Amino acid sequence: MRQKLARATIKEVASAAGVSTQTVSRVINKRPDVSSETRTRVEEIIDKLGYRPSALARSLIQQRSFTLGVVTAGLRFIGPSRTLSGITSAAEEKGYSLLLKELPQFDTADVTPIFQALRDRHVDGII
């Protein structure tokens, strides 16, 4: 059985740095209202612990997933694969990730279950 990787939490960073979680949040979000000494200390602890902000927690707070659903077919063909490559590049420039659903064939009649599955994942839009 695979062990779950332990992730450092914002509370652990705050405790190790001797600051509040709000201060750690301010450092992460590059807010100017943190002294340079405190910012440096918190950043060192973040690096030491390998802390990474949770995209899931952020999406819950912001009510956005920063994920786009893409429905496609025929990725083995050059046209659809180049289109997907372009979508990926544009999305990443704007800070979005993609959730890809590939249709079994181009003329799939009922795509409602696929759209519903993407909505269930709270994507911000569907292409």
Side-chain angles (χ1 to χ4, degrees), residues 10-52:
I10 196 168
K11 289 180 181 181
E12 292 169 337
V13 172
S15 177
V19 297
S20 69
T21 56
Q22 289 96 345
T23 299
V24 175
S25 178
R26 288 182 187 115
V27 170
I28 292 167
N29 292 304
K30 299 183 184 342
R31 296 254 313 262
D33 52 345
V34 179
S35 73
S36 60
E37 179 184 298
T38 300
R39 180 177 305 280
T40 300
R41 186 171 70 245
V42 171
E43 287 172 344
E44 287 173 357
I45 297 296
I46 286 172
D47 288 342
K48 179 181 175 186
L49 296 179
Y51 173 75
R52 300 278 300 153

Side-chain angles (χ1 to χ4, degrees), residues 42-118:
V42 171
E43 287 172 344
E44 287 173 357
I45 297 296
I46 286 172
D47 288 342
K48 179 181 175 186
L49 296 179
Y51 173 75
R52 300 278 300 153
S54 167
L56 178 59
R58 183 168 284 184
S59 70
L60 289 172
I61 291 167
Q62 294 180 348
Q63 299 278 307
R64 295 181 65 190
S65 66
F66 291 95
T67 302
L68 298 174
V70 178
V71 180
T72 188
L75 287 178
R76 67 182 180 272
F77 300 111
I78 197 159
S81 64
R82 283 191 175 168
T83 300
L84 181 60
S85 180
I87 291 169
T88 301
S89 295
E92 287 177 352
E93 283 179 21
K94 301 292 184 185
Y96 283 84
S97 60
L98 300 181
L99 179 58
L100 181 65
K101 294 287 189 177
E102 188 173 15
L103 299 173
Q105 51 198 22
F106 285 106
D107 61 351
T108 301
D110 187 13
V111 295
T112 304
I114 291 171
F115 283 0
Q116 186 59 49
L118 290 171

Side-chain angles (χ1 to χ4, degrees), residues 1-5:
M1 187 166 132
R2 187 175 152 219
Q3 276 190 320
K4 186 176 178 180
L5 295 176

